Amino acid sequence: MHSDNDGPTSGAEDGVEGSPAFPERGGPEAAADEGMDRFARVVSAVLDVPAAVVALACKEWQFLPGVVGLEEWSSSVRQADLTGSPCAYVVASGEPLVVRDARTDARVRDFAPAAWFGAVAGAAVPLTDEAGTVLGALCALDFVPRSWGERDVEVLENLAQACSTQLRLQASARQAQQDGTQAATLLGNSRLLLRAAETMAHTSGLEQVRRQVSDLVSGDLRPAYVGLVLRQESVLRRVPDRMASYVSLEERFPVYDPQERWPSAQAARENRIVLIPDRQTLVEQYHPDTVVEFDAMNLRSAVCVPLPGTYGRALGTLILAWHVPRTIDIAERAVLTVLARYTADAVERALFLDGRIDVARQLQRAMLTDLPTVQGLQLAALYRTAADQDMVGGDWYDAHHLNSSRTDATTRLALTVGDITGHNMQAATLMGQARSMLRQASHDHSHSGPAAAVDALYAAATDLGMNISGTLVHAHLTSTGDGAWDFTWTNAGHPPPLLDLPGHPVRQLHEHDLMLYPGLPAHRTQHRVRLEPGATLLLYTDGLVEEPGTPIDQKIEQVSLLLADNSSTPVQGLLQQIAERVAGPAHHDDIALLAVRVDVVKTPRTEPSSDGGL
């Protein structure tokens, strides 16, 4: 069946069995294909679906060279009845098929569930050859009803373009088996696109995107330089790679006007590939500075590929340059076009994630407390974000007065260090809510102790359906009137506070209850210890003491030794020293530290009287 327009045509009925596009039933082409399996995995990962299929149609059969999430089709030979399948619909219509619930959709509800591999929801888009003939479909499947957004279909179509290119390259490679060099090149480009599809789907930062492109492009296309330029409001801005060596071009021209005579600006402005086959082309057509930088980097040719944006406007330009003059043939242009599309998708995802992460970081900072000034105490806090900026955590510290009235002469404080589970915007948001709710609970139960406040927090979170999970130490600090303070605490599964008492080894306050988690017992216990003058107390989150390959007890012991050796170091400097020496610059999680030191009361010095004290 053919579509009655000028678009892709159906190929199921007039395909030739045994051809590169349409394998023989049960033949070797019906077996699993590593490349097609990888495309299925990419679809599953990017669209977050449990199953995906690459299906090729031939008369009444469909062959499944790529499958993920369908155990029944994981055998070496993969073939199934074409009738009623998403592939059949796409081949017959030449159009995408998007189904929220196959059991109620009039187009497909009369077909047996087996035709849909047991799935309930699906999105399928055409796979085509060079002439536009529909070979089959790239399908995303779910076993529960699912609403598919426009972005889902667009991403699937982008992957289908790459998959179609892969099928064409594979067919060309089979036909060119007698020409070993050509076949190797085609297969190399095929592998490049496969690696790009899988690798770029998991990038999360702009620098990582640029670095991955540099690592991906190999073989004949291997460049001496890879650059990434993005539109930012009214300018073009280069994305630096801080792990790479110095590049004069990026230092001298980090930002420039899209209208300037730079080949990368022209590619973004005109949304087309711009080829610089030799130095003379730069001399004749572009800004003199381009020639200077070209020579400084010992480059002799380059290609600038626009990054296609969601709304048709180029996001920027991908630049590849070489030390020798060269041209780009049609096959390489196709490869670079697909690579630029993957890069653009990764860039858009990175920009989105960067925006969310920035908001979460601002939320975290807004929730950090200005410590109160308390006579007789030194308080200090330190907060450091994870070395991996994509990790947004729910760590926090807090300290505030608890005096319930102006007539209450006893100084009382509430102290908290906590860590909400997760490393995302939700964790940061829940942290802010938990912090505010615990503050209110502390004031409502100021004379009942910290355990009552945490019980109240847990009860309120449960009633509101907030599903807060994590760990914390919440404490009350009360002056005793003789220069000492009583420290009363409750611990919900958190690392133990450390107490350095003058003349004693550093003590780990191990007493604790279960962590905060929906459904776990809510009642908390509390414990008390006296802080004598000169005592130092440290509360911290697990980012300080958790390091892959190192026991947590060993890291806590390292912190204890630093506390003991720095009993006279000002507390703010002590926290900085602990963070630098224990966690280091490459710590994998956020760190929150809160320290309290009890002042030593100095005895007034008695001056001798004028008469000699007699």
Side-chain angles (χ1 to χ4, degrees), residues 433-456:
Q433 293 175 303
R435 170 189 175 276
S436 298
M437 292 169 63
L438 185 56
R439 271 197 165 205
Q440 183 63 52
S442 296
H443 282 282
D444 291 345
H445 302 273
S446 60
H447 291 286
S448 301
V454 176
D455 280 343

Side-chain angles (χ1 to χ4, degrees), residues 374-377 400 402 410-415 446 449-450 474-490 499 501 507 509 526-533 535 537 539 596-599:
V374 182
Q375 185 175 359
L377 291 179
H400 57 90
L402 275 179
T410 302
T411 302
R412 291 183 297 121
L413 299 175
L415 308 176
S446 60
H474 182 58
H476 289 179
L477 197 58
T478 307
S479 62
T480 61
D482 59 355
W485 294 73
D486 280 338
F487 177 70
T488 306
W489 80 96
T490 186
L499 177 59
L501 288 171
R507 174 181 169 187
L509 305 181
Q526 62 187 36
H527 314 275
R528 185 166 64 90
V529 67
R530 178 179 169 89
L531 307 187
E532 299 291 347
L537 176 74
L539 309 179
V596 178
R597 179 172 291 158
V598 181
D599 287 338

Side-chain angles (χ1 to χ4, degrees), residues 244-520:
S245 57
Y246 171 82
V247 178
S248 171
L249 171 68
E250 298 176 357
E251 290 291 327
R252 291 188 60 203
F253 304 99
V255 178
Y256 55 104
D257 193 315
Q259 302 304 318
E260 289 188 10
R261 289 190 301 124
W262 288 76
S264 54
Q266 182 185 9
R269 187 172 62 245
E270 299 178 5
N271 204 10
R272 68 177 180 87
I273 293 178
V274 173
L275 178 63
I276 310 298
D278 50 41
R279 182 180 184 276
Q280 190 60 31
T281 302
L282 281 181
V283 174
E284 294 174 355
Q285 300 181 26
Y286 297 99
H287 196 286
D289 282 334
T290 64
V291 182
V292 173
E293 295 303 323
F294 219 57
D295 290 344
M297 299 170 68
N298 193 28
L299 300 175
R300 292 295 176 265
S301 60
V303 62
C304 299
V305 189
L307 303 176
T310 302
Y311 302 105
R313 185 191 187 202
L315 295 173
T317 306
L318 177 65
I319 306 167
L320 287 79
W322 296 269
H323 288 318
V324 296
R326 66 164 299 154
T327 58
I328 302 296
D329 61 28
I330 294 177
E332 290 171 334
R333 280 176 176 260
V335 170
L336 291 175
T337 299
V338 175
L339 180 62
R341 184 174 295 277
Y342 285 136
T343 304
D345 287 343
V347 165
E348 288 188 324
R349 183 170 57 253
L351 291 173
F352 174 73
L353 290 175
D354 285 349
R356 293 190 61 181
I357 290 166
D358 183 60
V359 170
R361 293 292 184 207
Q362 292 183 37
L363 175 62
Q364 284 178 316
R365 296 187 185 99
M367 290 299 170
L368 299 181
T369 304
D370 291 331
L371 300 180
T373 300
V374 182
Q375 185 175 359
L377 291 179
Q378 300 174 40
L379 280 81
L382 183 145
Y383 187 93
R384 289 190 178 177
T385 58
D388 183 352
Q389 292 299 310
D390 296 338
M391 298 284 284
V392 179
D395 296 37
W396 90 95
Y397 64 81
D398 197 9
H400 57 90
H401 284 282
L402 275 179
N403 293 51
S404 57
S405 69
R406 295 181 180 273
T407 60
D408 189 346
T410 302
T411 302
R412 291 183 297 121
L413 299 175
L415 308 176
T416 310
V417 165
D419 183 4
I420 296 299
T421 303
H423 296 94
N424 50 30
M425 174 71 81
Q426 183 182 18
T429 303
L430 285 175
M431 175 270 287
Q433 293 175 303
R435 170 189 175 276
S436 298
M437 292 169 63
L438 185 56
R439 271 197 165 205
Q440 183 63 52
S442 296
H443 282 282
D444 291 345
H445 302 273
S446 60
H447 291 286
S448 301
V454 176
D455 280 343
L457 165 66
Y458 183 89
T462 301
D463 290 343
L464 296 173
M466 291 175 58
N467 292 327
I468 289 178
S469 65
T471 67
L472 62 80
V473 170
H474 182 58
H476 289 179
L477 197 58
T478 307
S479 62
T480 61
D482 59 355
W485 294 73
D486 280 338
F487 177 70
T488 306
W489 80 96
T490 186
N491 185 330
H494 202 76
L498 299 178
L499 177 59
D500 180 24
L501 288 171
H504 298 273
V506 172
R507 174 181 169 187
Q508 297 183 27
L509 305 181
H510 283 294
E511 296 83 354
H512 69 278
D513 303 313
L514 295 173
M515 67 180 291
L516 297 173
Y517 192 82
L520 290 181

Side-chain angles (χ1 to χ4, degrees), residues 91-154:
V91 170
S93 67
E95 299 292 337
L97 172 66
V98 179
V99 174
R100 181 185 181 277
D101 191 338
R103 298 167 298 185
T104 59
D105 192 309
R107 297 169 297 175
V108 297
R109 66 188 177 195
D110 294 331
F111 295 116
W116 278 65
F117 309 102
V120 169
V125 297
L127 298 172
T128 62
D129 64 10
E130 292 180 348
T133 301
V134 179
L135 307 179
L138 183 63
C139 310
L141 303 170
D142 206 335
F143 299 103
V144 295
R146 175 183 177 128
S147 297
W148 306 90
E150 292 182 2
R151 180 62 174 164
D152 293 333
V153 177
E154 182 182 356

